Amino acid sequence: MPGAGIAMRTAVPGPEVTKLTQRLAVQGGMGGATSLFGDYAASEDSYFVDADGNRMLDMFMQIASLPLGYNHPAMQQAMQDPLMGAFAQSRAALGMFPPMELPQLLEETFLKVAPKGLSRVQPMLCGSSANENVFKATFFAYRAKQRKAEGR
């Protein structure tokens, strides 16, 4: 259904999503937070396809973690890279056991586009941990400034 735009086949949630929700509830339900089950292979660009084949505009892009959209050709190409495959399979704990390629990757990506004067980067798992660590860094800097003013 490439390029078809919005195409609704069933009510939402549809019968397949309802069936999967009931099946998941028996397994613990993940706290009841699920609302739709996705067909990620069929999702494309800014369109999310649910388990019933309903194609809808995803205005949130998985909480903004998919700015290029679903199944973007550049991302698909990147996933063909053996190094990316190894990273996806291994899911390294970057703080303890980062891959040996990490310094080079940071230089070629984040640091390459860093604003002038910023020469460091701290990768985070998600937006929540990024926000949490910004607050920690701010409080650390504030307390260091206080200690210096106090002569400690």
Side-chain angles (χ1 to χ4, degrees), residues 83 87 94 97-112 119-121 123:
L83 185 60
F87 288 170
L94 295 182
F97 307 115
M100 64 185 193
E101 298 87 355
L102 184 62
Q104 179 183 350
L105 290 171
L106 293 177
E107 288 167 8
E108 294 173 353
T109 56
F110 297 119
L111 292 172
K112 188 175 180 179
S119 60
R120 295 180 176 187
V121 64

Side-chain angles (χ1 to χ4, degrees), residues 1-7 38-50 53-59 61-62 66-76:
M1 201 175 4
I6 296 170
D39 181 346
Y40 291 99
S43 297
E44 182 181 58
D45 299 326
S46 297
Y47 294 95
F48 172 82
V49 178
D50 72 4
N54 294 310
R55 183 178 161 98
M56 54 196 89
L57 182 62
D58 183 353
M59 295 172 45
M61 296 310 302
Q62 294 289 333
L66 289 176
L68 297 177
Y70 294 96
N71 296 305
H72 190 278
M75 293 299 289
Q76 289 178 332

Side-chain angles (χ1 to χ4, degrees), residues 16-27:
E16 188 60 28
V17 168
T18 300
K19 189 183 335 176
L20 289 166
T21 301
Q22 291 167 349
R23 185 173 167 193
L24 187 63
V26 171
Q27 299 167 345

